[in-house]
Amino acid sequence: MIRLTFCLALFSGPALADPCADLWFSRNQTMNQAGYCFGSNLGQALFDNADCTGKTVTLTPEQSRIVAQVKAIEKEVGCKVDTTSHRIDLEDLAVRRQLTVQPVLDEFPSGCVGWTGGQIRLHAGTSNATQVIGSAQTGDNIYFIHSPQNGYSYVTVTDSNFVAKSGGWLRDGFDPALCTQNLP
């Protein structure tokens, strides 16, 4: 797990401003999708309690796996998110709200600087049957900082100036040879 801490420090910046915020959001958005009612300032600011069902919710096997993975990483890294706040530092928050499956940070992040291939469609979930919510274009930078799930990778896309612009789930089969530069 020391490698995870090192890699997260390496990839902090446009692709990942705060790893603990990323983990906290993945865990709590998964709980939100299951109907969890939030009591903290941050939870109430980020999630609509109008459709919540209670503090005890039933998770699908996939949701249970995601929550358990995130909790283990949060514990190992020592995450402490200020839940008295009303905002979270997550550059891809708008994209993450659209996802049907939340990503979990990966111990071995990588990236593609200067994508030279054509347009890549990004989905809301780990299936091409889910809604297309974004894309990567020629010249963009594509970051793989989350673990693959079900044959898909959640990616964050920045423009050539490293400003976050898109994200979503990408079907495996990405060709790193079509990058101007590959990051670890």
Side-chain angles (χ1 to χ4, degrees):
M1 213 37 94
I2 291 172
R3 175 154 168 80
L4 175 64
T5 305
F6 171 75
C7 287
L8 294 179
L10 177 70
F11 275 81
S12 64
L16 182 63
D18 181 355
C20 289
D22 186 287
L23 291 162
W24 185 93
F25 187 82
S26 285
R27 177 172 49 83
N28 284 287
Q29 176 65 350
T30 301
M31 297 296 291
N32 179 55
Q33 289 170 332
Y36 186 82
C37 295
F38 293 89
S40 71
N41 290 342
L42 187 57
Q44 289 182 6
L46 293 177
F47 308 111
D48 180 10
N49 272 346
D51 61 348
C52 71
T53 59
K55 295 278 188 187
T56 304
V57 294
T58 302
L59 300 173
T60 67
E62 182 176 37
Q63 289 172 326
S64 293
R65 179 188 52 76
I66 290 168
V67 169
Q69 274 185 295
V70 169
K71 282 182 174 182
I73 297 169
E74 286 175 316
K75 181 178 180 182
E76 186 70 31
V77 175
C79 288
K80 301 284 185 220
V81 171
D82 180 8
T83 58
T84 64
S85 175
H86 288 87
R87 66 175 301 276
I88 196 164
D89 184 19
L90 200 58
E91 290 195 18
D92 63 345
L93 182 61
V95 173
R96 299 284 287 278
R97 289 179 186 274
Q98 298 177 63
L99 299 178
T100 59
V101 176
Q102 288 298 308
V104 178
L105 286 175
D106 195 349
E107 185 173 359
F108 303 102
S110 62
C112 166
V113 176
W115 170 247
T116 62
Q119 179 183 25
I120 300 173
R121 295 165 41 132
L122 305 174
H123 293 267
T126 56
S127 163
N128 282 351
T130 60
Q131 179 182 0
V132 173
I133 60 170
S135 66
Q137 309 291 330
T138 302
D140 286 343
N141 305 306
I142 305 168
Y143 298 97
F144 297 80
I145 58 176
H146 296 87
S147 298
Q149 295 182 39
N150 305 322
Y152 286 77
S153 294
Y154 177 76
V155 299
T156 304
V157 179
T158 67
D159 63 21
S160 59
N161 295 315
F162 301 97
V163 175
K165 65 176 256 184
S166 187
W169 289 99
L170 166 67
R171 180 92 176 130
D172 284 353
F174 179 83
D175 186 357
L178 295 175
C179 302
T180 303
Q181 177 186 2
N182 287 291
L183 302 175

